[in-house]
Amino acid sequence: MTLQLPLSNPGIAYSKTVAHQIAAALKRHDIEFIFGQSLPTMVCLACEEAGIRQIVYRTENAGGYMADAYARVSGKPGIVTAQNGPAAALLVAPLAEALKASIPIIALVQDVNRDQTDKNAFQDLDHIGLFAPVAKWVRRVTEPSRIEDYIDQAFVAACSGRPGPVVLLLPADLLIQPALPTGRRANLGYFPLDRTVAAPATLDEAARLIASALRPIIIVGGGIHTSRATVELARLQEAAHLPVATTVMGKGAIDETHALSIGVLANFLGPNGATRYHRAMIANADVVILVGTRTNQNGTDSWQLYPTDAKFIHIDVDGNEIGRNYEAIRLVGDAKLTISALTDVLSRHDLSQHKKNRLAVEASIASAKQKHLHESKAVRRSGAKPIRPERIMDELQAQLTAHDIVVADASYSSIWIANYLTALKGGMRFLTPRGLAGLGWGFPMALGARLAHSGGEVFCVVGDGGFGHVWSELETARRMNIKVILVVINNGILGFQKHAENVKFRTHTTAVHFLPVDHVAIANATGCVGIRVEDPDDLPIVFARARSSESTILVEVICDPNAFPPITFFTPEEMSS
């Protein structure tokens, strides 16, 4: 006997449910995509009916990373959905990344029926307790009449102040209740939602300090991108004749070919480091202007990079970050408005000494860059087999345009792109999961970025260790017709783990080595294109082919397991075993 399952429940008025009200509210907030896997089912059905495309991930954590990158590039909050219980638990890692990196994500999580709470219902869980440490705001909706209120509160919480993730818990039975519209009309689907500017008195104090400084420098973090303030930063750099460096998350904030642009100053200033010879410039600075940075461990090279005797000015939308590690003049406000206001105030001060010193500063920056290029030429142009990752970056740089986006996984991949790729004029973006820096996040982030990026290509650089977390999303890329150029650095090891263990303990555990994996076969099995590269001279041809591909293409590069980026505390002698 063959059983036939009903396709619908005739007792539910689908066109008049709370779920449809949620979909209508998302449309009102200009949402085009949700990242989901058919749960909460009524919400996903209603969204698809309303013309909101569901990007169907294979795992919830990957869906969260997709939503994260989509938000970073689009300027809209990313919407991710999940079922209660284990699926919801898989959202903890991406929400934690978004919280640390100040990225607005709205998670719509199905919960058990309202009358089943605390009865050991299937996959019941304390979701409020689960999400409280990794979200700005968590609420459970119980009344149909409040759904639009809570949807709007979720957007406000995610997009205002310091952006971040929020969670709305939706009991399954609530979603099929009759809708009770409230008449809300506002569009809150963008960030920063409310721009603020630092107080005039502190702006004037900061301007006086900058104007009188002998050796000022600007350090820019990821908040510059959240604020969409790159144009204002370029204006400040040029008008006040100030050298600018970035953190890894701030990369792309400035045109790194500009004569006053240093590059990324962080925790990789060892041999072959791109800013290795710029360290003295920050060490000798008498005024350091921090913009949108958490002054975290990696960005400050374990808090050893910035001078102890300098005076600091800190622009940040979150006043709690100002003075956390470096006491500073407090310019609390949105970076875009505050940088613009600071530039205007500076125009009323005498900047002639900065202008007079500009040629010498530019010459110092250029000289340091030339030293790096000379020092690193052997690895950047290496013909060795297995291939050096630096050669991959050198060939990739030749392919990039100002309209491309480069995404990287955490660990070494982020450092390779931050150190060896140059941000070009035009607002080029580099996306890295550096809030928590978890492995496996790069590829799904690239998929999310592609959906938000209409021009240029999206390149993604991952290691074989991190990519092993998310092989399944190749099928997502093919099924959802999302094209990414995926570069897998295959060295057969967990590189950072092995090398750091060697440095710290003079040995390493058995966990750092992998069996050989044919990533090309995996890509081809999912309908994507896979190419293996073992000769560095083939890289330009393969990258050119990848640009012309219509679907995701995986370029597996067989790399030297003994190659490592210029992390400051690494030394060649300690890395050879």
Side-chain angles (χ1 to χ4, degrees):
M1 177 179 180
T2 302
L3 296 177
Q4 296 292 326
L5 294 176
L7 295 180
S8 63
N9 184 342
I12 297 175
Y14 287 117
S15 62
K16 300 178 181 180
T17 66
V18 168
H20 286 83
Q21 196 170 359
I22 292 172
L26 294 178
K27 288 285 284 187
R28 170 165 57 88
H29 295 306
D30 200 27
I31 297 303
E32 300 175 274
F33 302 100
I34 60 170
F35 297 88
Q37 200 180 62
S38 197
L39 286 155
T41 302
M42 273 304 305
V43 171
C44 294
L45 286 169
C47 283
E48 291 187 342
E49 183 181 315
I52 298 173
R53 185 183 177 196
Q54 182 180 191
I55 306 300
V56 184
Y57 51 70
R58 295 298 294 256
T59 62
E60 284 75 14
N61 48 9
Y65 310 139
M66 293 177 198
D68 177 318
Y70 176 80
R72 297 190 196 204
V73 177
S74 70
K76 303 177 183 180
I79 312 296
V80 64
T81 71
Q83 187 179 359
N84 46 295
L90 286 173
L91 288 180
V92 168
L95 294 185
E97 165 69 25
L99 184 69
K100 285 286 190 178
S102 306
I103 308 301
I105 294 177
I106 298 173
L108 303 177
V109 177
Q110 181 165 295
D111 207 349
V112 299
N113 291 351
R114 288 167 293 178
D115 63 353
Q116 294 177 353
T117 302
D118 292 332
K119 293 180 69 175
N120 287 331
F122 181 61
Q123 296 184 340
D124 188 13
L125 188 66
D126 178 8
H127 293 101
I128 292 177
L130 176 73
F131 290 120
V134 297
K136 285 181 64 179
W137 182 90
V138 185
R139 294 292 188 276
R140 186 174 189 262
V141 188
T142 59
E143 300 300 325
S145 63
R146 297 299 311 282
I147 190 64
E148 284 194 60
D149 298 342
Y150 276 105
I151 289 288
D152 281 19
Q153 286 182 49
F155 275 84
V156 169
C159 298
S160 64
R162 179 176 178 171
V166 304
V167 181
L168 203 57
L169 303 174
L170 303 171
D173 65 314
L174 174 82
L175 298 174
I176 59 175
Q177 293 297 302
L180 298 170
T182 64
R184 286 181 174 266
R185 296 289 181 267
N187 177 359
L188 305 170
Y190 59 91
F191 67 98
L193 186 59
D194 306 303
R195 293 188 184 270
T196 58
V197 65
T202 53
L203 284 167
D204 193 57
E205 181 185 2
R208 288 197 305 272
L209 181 58
I210 294 169
S212 63
L214 299 177
R215 297 173 302 279
I217 189 171
I218 303 176
I219 307 290
V220 181
I224 198 78
H225 296 300
T226 305
S227 180
R228 304 300 199 261
T230 57
V231 172
E232 289 72 20
L233 176 65
R235 177 174 168 241
L236 174 62
Q237 178 185 40
E238 189 61 34
H241 316 286
L242 296 172
V244 179
T246 76
T247 66
V248 174
M249 287 188 66
K251 188 176 179 68
I254 52 171
D255 172 11
E256 290 179 342
T257 66
H258 190 285
L260 283 172
S261 297
I262 293 169
V264 177
L265 276 170
N267 62 326
F268 36 89
L269 300 175
N272 297 321
T275 53
R276 171 177 171 80
Y277 297 107
H278 295 88
R279 185 162 196 157
M281 181 171 286
I282 190 170
N284 295 327
D286 59 343
V287 173
V288 179
I289 303 125
L290 303 171
V291 181
T293 171
R294 295 173 293 145
T295 61
N296 63 1
Q297 183 173 10
N298 288 342
T300 62
D301 203 5
S302 294
W303 305 285
Q304 301 300 308
L305 182 57
Y306 299 169
T308 57
D309 56 350
K311 294 182 178 179
F312 288 82
I313 298 165
H314 196 156
I315 299 172
D316 205 288
V317 73
D318 184 354
N320 290 326
E321 292 299 339
I322 299 175
R324 179 188 292 274
N325 295 313
Y326 301 93
E327 189 172 279
I329 294 176
R330 299 174 57 82
L331 298 184
V332 181
D334 168 66
K336 187 181 186 74
L337 293 187
T338 301
I339 292 172
S340 182
L342 178 61
T343 306
D344 291 342
V345 175
L346 272 169
S347 69
R348 302 195 291 269
H349 289 260
D350 182 6
L351 300 174
S352 59
Q353 191 60 45
H354 291 350
K355 186 175 182 179
K356 181 179 178 181
N357 294 341
R358 177 168 177 160
L359 287 178
V361 174
E362 291 179 350
S364 177
I365 293 172
S367 175
K369 287 182 177 181
Q370 285 302 314
K371 286 182 181 179
H372 157 68
L373 291 174
H374 176 74
E375 177 184 77
S376 64
K377 184 177 180 179
V379 289
R380 288 186 299 105
R381 299 307 304 163
S382 172
K385 304 175 188 177
I387 298 170
R388 295 281 309 196
E390 298 93 336
R391 177 68 186 272
I392 302 173
M393 297 300 106
D394 208 58
E395 299 294 353
L396 181 56
Q397 181 67 55
Q399 295 286 334
L400 295 178
T401 74
H403 303 292
D404 294 333
I405 291 176
V406 182
V407 185
D409 212 338
S411 193
Y412 278 178
S413 298
S414 292
I415 302 176
W416 291 127
I417 72 162
N419 195 70
Y420 288 104
L421 297 183
T422 300
L424 304 174
K425 183 177 181 180
M428 189 176 181
R429 288 300 303 273
F430 293 80
L431 304 185
T432 53
R434 305 304 296 181
L436 284 184
L439 276 180
W441 301 2
F443 180 47
M445 286 185 73
L447 297 177
R450 174 75 271 176
L451 290 167
H453 185 56
S454 58
E457 297 288 348
V458 174
F459 290 85
C460 182
V461 177
V462 302
D464 55 327
F467 185 53
H469 291 239
V470 287
W471 291 340
S472 58
E473 301 304 332
L474 282 167
E475 188 273 336
T476 300
R478 185 71 182 116
R479 174 170 36 85
M480 304 306 301
N481 195 29
I482 306 172
K483 186 224 172 157
V484 166
I485 299 173
L486 176 63
V487 182
V488 179
I489 297 176
N490 185 356
N491 59 10
I493 62 170
L494 277 174
F496 205 154
Q497 189 68 30
K498 178 180 179 179
H499 296 155
E501 288 178 6
N502 284 347
V503 169
K504 294 177 182 179
F505 308 110
R506 304 287 178 169
T507 188
H508 52 266
T509 75
T510 57
V512 299
H513 293 100
F514 301 127
L515 289 174
V517 173
D518 189 344
H519 298 93
V520 169
I522 296 172
N524 290 333
T526 62
C528 296
V529 178
I531 303 175
R532 176 176 288 114
V533 179
E534 299 183 52
D535 187 331
D537 291 337
D538 293 337
L539 286 168
I541 300 169
V542 172
F543 284 152
R545 176 185 170 185
R547 291 195 78 102
S548 64
S549 174
E550 294 183 358
S551 62
T552 285
I553 183 166
L554 181 151
V555 180
E556 179 182 36
V557 186
I558 307 303
C559 288
D560 182 356
N562 293 317
F564 55 91
I567 297 171
T568 306
F569 76 91
F570 285 2
T571 65
E573 292 76 19
E574 293 170 319
M575 298 301 300
S576 59
S577 61

